[in-house]
Amino acid sequence: MELQITATSPEHPASLLDLPWNIPLAEWPEETLVALDRGISRHVVRFAQAGGEIVAVKEVGEWAAVREYGLLRDLDRLAVPAVDALAVVTGRTDEHGEPLEPALITRHLAGSQPYRSMFQTTMRPSTIRRLLDALAVLLVRLHLAGFAWGDCSLSNTLFRRDAGAYAAYLVDAETGQVQPRLTSGQREYDIEVARVNIAGELMDLEASGSLHPRSTRCSSARPSSSATATCGMS
Ligand SMILES: Nc1ncnc2c1ncn2[C@@H]1O[C@H](COP(=O)(O)OP(=O)(O)O)[C@@H](O)[C@H]1O
Ligand SMILES: [Mg+2]
């Protein structure tokens, strides 16, 4: 099997080639990695230096990697805030010739933080509301562009402080689909998924003591509606 790097721009295959593709991502040596905060994930995700930039590497099956790569490229074309897809790496083998999982490479979103890092100090309710507002704006933009997310959550979003406000970026497009126009049923489904995911994530934060007492009261009293009520998605 031969290593293949399918990339958008011609300079990426060369800069990505130096990464240790013959080692499972979970075992990449520390000197290759960049220690930046990342959110909860199903797959192994790591940050690495490639050429002059920091990239996020996600190990995922080939079909899913190619699909997510295509969807992130679609979002770029549709001018919706999302991480930039750089490449898909296939044909990886280890030193014994055993196959390794393909990888999706995206550009690390500079200045972004996963929500858990933002909640490391107790967050004021007004700040939470601003984060959720940013996520609601992202969801509306996705829907207007014809993108059904399928897994809207705080974990699948990155936040960047943008001139005093927060801007939200989609980071995980795996479950998405693009259509010329979404039906109201598709939009409602996405909002329902967002409600359930965000309420669960806020309850986790509450359980770990990361929520300000005033927001705690709100989320524990109305677990399934608090998040969406504050971000206006209901
Ligand atoms: N391009 C990127 N820039 C910054 N962080 C990223 C990037 N890609 C992934 N991450 C971090 O890795 C986490 C997991 O990525 P994600 O695509 O959601 O993986 P999974 O499909 O396993 O859920 C994200 O929550 C985010 O914190
Ligand atoms: Mg995810």
Side-chain angles (χ1 to χ4, degrees), residues 132-148:
L132 294 176
D133 279 349
L135 181 48
V137 168
L138 174 63
L139 193 55
V140 169
R141 289 186 68 176
L142 288 165
H143 284 181
L144 289 174
F147 185 90

Side-chain angles (χ1 to χ4, degrees), residues 8 42 58 60 62-88 104-106 138 141-142 145-151 169-180 182 186 190:
T8 320
R42 277 188 302 274
K58 168 156 96 170
V60 61
E62 181 167 351
W63 184 84
V66 171
R67 187 166 184 282
E68 188 166 3
Y69 177 80
L71 285 166
L72 289 172
R73 304 272 304 136
D74 287 341
L75 289 178
D76 183 46
R77 191 174 40 80
L78 294 165
V80 178
V83 295
D84 289 334
L86 298 184
V88 172
L104 168 71
I105 321 286
T106 54
L138 174 63
R141 289 186 68 176
L142 288 165
F147 185 90
W149 193 343
D151 197 14
Y169 294 73
L170 177 145
V171 68
D172 189 344
E174 204 185 329
T175 49
Q177 48 177 304
V178 180
Q179 285 174 205
L182 298 186
Q186 282 176 307
D190 244 5

Side-chain angles (χ1 to χ4, degrees), residues 112-183:
S112 69
Q113 279 191 299
Y115 79 99
R116 283 196 165 255
S117 312
M118 304 181 107
F119 280 85
Q120 264 163 7
T121 50
T122 343
M123 200 177 257
R124 299 171 65 83
S126 59
T127 315
I128 297 176
R129 215 165 294 128
R130 288 197 291 144
L131 284 183
L132 294 176
D133 279 349
L135 181 48
V137 168
L138 174 63
L139 193 55
V140 169
R141 289 186 68 176
L142 288 165
H143 284 181
L144 289 174
F147 185 90
W149 193 343
D151 197 14
C152 172
S153 68
L154 292 169
S155 301
N156 286 336
T157 308
L158 289 170
F159 294 95
R160 195 145 79 160
R161 210 164 275 165
D162 188 8
Y166 287 103
Y169 294 73
L170 177 145
V171 68
D172 189 344
E174 204 185 329
T175 49
Q177 48 177 304
V178 180
Q179 285 174 205
R181 201 183 147 83
L182 298 186
T183 64

